[in-house]
Amino acid sequence: MAARNSPGAETSTSQAWNPRLALLVAATFFMEFLDGTILITAIPNIASDFGVPAADVNITMTAYLMTVAMGIPLSGWLAERVGARKVFCFAIALFTLASLACAVSPDLTVLTLSRILQGAGGAMMVPVGTLLVLRGTPKSELLRATAFLVWPALLAPVLAPLVGGALTTYLSWHWIFLINLPLGAAAFIAALSLVPAGAGDSARRLDWLGLLLTTTGVGALVVGLELATARPDGPWAAISAAAGVCALAAAVLWMRRAKNPLFDLSVFSTRTFRAMATGGFVYRLTISSVPFLLPLMFQTGFGWSPLHAGIMVAAVFIGNIGIKPATTPLIRRFGFRAMLVFGSLASAVTFALCALLTPDTPQALIFALLVCSGAFRSIGFSAYASVQYADIAPSQLTSANSVSATLVQLAAGAGIAVGALLIRIFDGVAAFPADHAGPFRGAFLTMAVLMLFSTADSLSLHRQAGAEVSRPGQARAEEQPPPPPGAGRVQPR
């Protein structure tokens, strides 16, 4: 059932840990994640330039996110077939050239098509870049490696409104894409020298049916989540999401019996990896809703300006960065289970406290709360990013990486969709009379309860889960048999 890699494929894990490669991959991730949401602030300007309704511009964001999600399953096979270095360099070049095409687009149709190309590049950059870093990293250095790879996912959603707003206000929306040109060129040149060369497996066959079912399912789910956010009144969101679930279920059934499946689904038999798909999915879903809910609550509920709201939300960014040097030592000291439980439980508390905020709450207190929220967010992200690969065999790494990247994309989209749905559910609820922030209070309280499911899942992990990564020296010592009685005792002469 499991897909096997041939000896000629790029599966070696004997390369030395390379921080510069990890930093390069993280930089490309940041470009991809940032471009997923940065257009939100520029939609009115783009609509004005093209002479179309603002709602129509949303298609450019949906097309990008859908292409990224649908392209990830194929990227793993491409890395095995062609070689990870070639695919990664090609992805950077495609993303950069597509950014130029976006900037010079004369109308909405061309912009949308350019965004699809950009999404195709992003779909290969993220999982293939992660694969390159993981293959060259021993388990004892995995925490350090993932510390580099986690920060783009933490910072991009928080910085996107600020960066997009500043570029659109002081320059033009075109610079949202033009800024990628020098960054992409530098990343491409760096990749040529930093990414190790390796031959692909030309005999590796593609599971066409598995790919068709997986990409159709993921695409339908993404469209359903986007429709649930943008057009909640119609039935198409539920229909699309249901079709996506059915297609993914069919893909699982097929890959369980296929001779050369697209993914090796035996990765789910590893408890530490499965934690990413259960409690980790819930964690990312709830966390992803915060950059969506907070600015809306501050603007709609509190009456703040977009700039005021954006500056306050940047406190989450400060918490993310401030705690980052301590996340690895904390995980090494207390272990994965303890930090996952703490990170999710503390995040649930901050969500509940956000529901209690009012326009009269001292802004210094709000700022401090959001800094703490960002710190707890960073701890959980780092722990899940590392523990999922702690017990994965090298032959399973490509499948585990592709499955993880797909679920991360779905969790991010689901977080925004669920947040928007909760706002509509609590709008006009009697529990919040004459309170413009009432719907957001209900949403934050619900997210706090959802986060507790992640806490419960983490509590079910073994106390030493992922110890080979979090405490490599201690884990090896515990595996040694105890010394025989009298060993080390000085014998009398």
Side-chain angles (χ1 to χ4, degrees):
M1 180 191 74
R4 301 290 181 188
N5 300 326
S6 71
E10 292 177 306
T11 59
S12 173
T13 59
S14 62
Q15 299 161 8
W17 152 242
N18 189 344
R20 291 187 299 169
L21 175 60
L23 188 60
L24 166 65
V25 172
T28 61
F29 287 8
F30 187 75
M31 286 196 302
E32 192 275 320
F33 290 141
L34 192 69
D35 275 49
T37 53
I38 196 172
L39 271 189
I40 293 176
T41 54
I43 284 178
N45 299 72
I46 296 174
S48 177
D49 283 0
F50 291 160
V52 299
D56 291 355
V57 183
N58 285 328
I59 186 63
T60 61
M61 294 184 60
T62 301
Y64 178 85
L65 295 173
M66 185 173 68
T67 306
V68 169
M70 294 179 66
I72 287 173
L74 180 61
S75 65
W77 177 83
L78 281 173
E80 296 288 346
R81 178 66 183 262
V82 180
R85 182 178 189 266
K86 293 178 181 178
V87 175
F88 185 64
C89 292
F90 174 76
I92 296 174
L94 179 60
F95 187 89
T96 305
L97 293 175
S99 297
L100 176 61
C102 289
V104 299
S105 297
D107 54 45
L108 185 60
T109 300
V110 176
L111 177 60
T112 303
L113 294 174
S114 301
R115 287 283 279 174
I116 291 174
L117 285 177
Q118 196 184 34
M124 290 182 284
M125 278 199 307
V126 172
V128 176
T130 302
L131 191 62
L132 284 166
V133 174
L134 294 178
R135 278 178 172 169
T137 304
K139 292 287 180 72
S140 60
E141 297 291 343
L142 189 57
L143 274 174
R144 291 181 61 198
T146 54
F148 281 86
L149 302 181
V150 162
W151 68 264
L154 289 169
L155 303 187
V158 179
L159 291 182
L162 283 175
V163 175
L167 291 175
T168 303
T169 301
Y170 298 108
L171 295 171
S172 71
W173 64 265
H174 305 82
W175 283 93
I176 289 175
F177 302 107
L178 290 174
I179 198 173
N180 288 332
L181 302 186
L183 297 177
F188 183 81
I189 294 172
L192 291 177
S193 61
L194 291 177
V195 178
D201 179 8
S202 59
R204 185 167 178 84
R205 299 178 61 185
L206 179 60
D207 175 13
W208 287 100
L209 182 57
L211 178 66
L212 176 63
L213 291 172
T214 302
T215 54
T216 301
V218 170
L221 269 179
V222 172
V223 171
L225 293 172
E226 289 294 310
L227 290 176
T229 304
R231 296 178 176 85
D233 298 330
W236 296 110
I239 293 173
S240 181
V245 171
C246 291
L248 289 177
V252 170
L253 293 175
W254 164 255
M255 283 187 278
R256 284 186 179 278
R257 54 196 295 266
K259 185 177 180 181
N260 294 296
L262 182 67
F263 297 138
D264 178 5
L265 297 182
S266 67
V267 293
F268 285 104
S269 63
T270 303
R271 179 65 181 94
T272 47
F273 181 81
R274 199 164 64 248
M276 174 277 305
T278 52
F281 186 87
V282 175
Y283 184 88
R284 289 181 181 275
L285 184 153
T286 53
I287 288 295
S288 298
S289 70
V290 174
F292 171 75
L293 291 173
L294 276 176
L296 285 178
M297 184 174 77
F298 289 152
Q299 294 177 62
T300 306
F302 292 4
W304 292 0
S305 68
L307 180 60
H308 188 180
I311 292 174
M312 188 61 73
V313 174
V316 178
F317 157 79
I318 294 175
N320 289 337
I321 292 298
I323 197 65
K324 182 52 66 183
T327 53
T328 295
L330 284 171
I331 293 172
R332 292 203 186 280
R333 172 66 179 82
F334 297 103
F336 280 115
R337 188 180 74 163
M339 297 316 299
L340 287 173
V341 170
F342 171 76
S344 58
L345 192 58
S347 294
V349 172
T350 60
F351 292 168
L353 292 176
C354 283
L356 302 178
L357 298 177
T358 70
D360 298 325
T361 304
Q363 296 198 20
L365 189 61
I366 298 176
F367 195 86
L369 173 62
L370 298 187
V371 169
C372 292
S373 178
F376 303 145
R377 185 173 183 254
S378 182
I379 290 172
F381 262 81
S382 298
Y384 274 118
S386 300
V387 75
Q388 64 183 341
Y389 299 115
D391 303 313
I392 291 295
S395 62
Q396 297 177 309
L397 193 55
T398 299
S399 292
N401 181 54
S402 297
V403 170
S404 173
T406 302
L407 290 177
V408 166
Q409 287 289 331
L410 292 177
I416 297 174
V418 172
L421 177 62
L422 290 173
I423 292 173
R424 290 193 297 274
I425 290 174
F426 287 102
D427 189 17
V429 172
F432 308 107
D435 184 359
H436 294 296
F440 302 97
R441 302 189 197 287
F444 272 114
L445 287 174
T446 304
M447 287 297 179
V449 174
L450 281 176
M451 181 62 84
L452 296 179
F453 285 94
S454 178
T455 305
D457 184 74
S458 298
L459 283 170
S460 69
L461 286 170
H462 189 274
R463 186 173 62 87
Q464 295 296 331
E468 186 180 354
V469 170
S470 62
R471 305 170 182 177
Q474 179 179 334
R476 284 191 294 269
E478 291 178 353
E479 290 174 358
Q480 298 297 323
R489 184 182 302 167
V490 177
Q491 299 296 328
R493 296 184 180 181

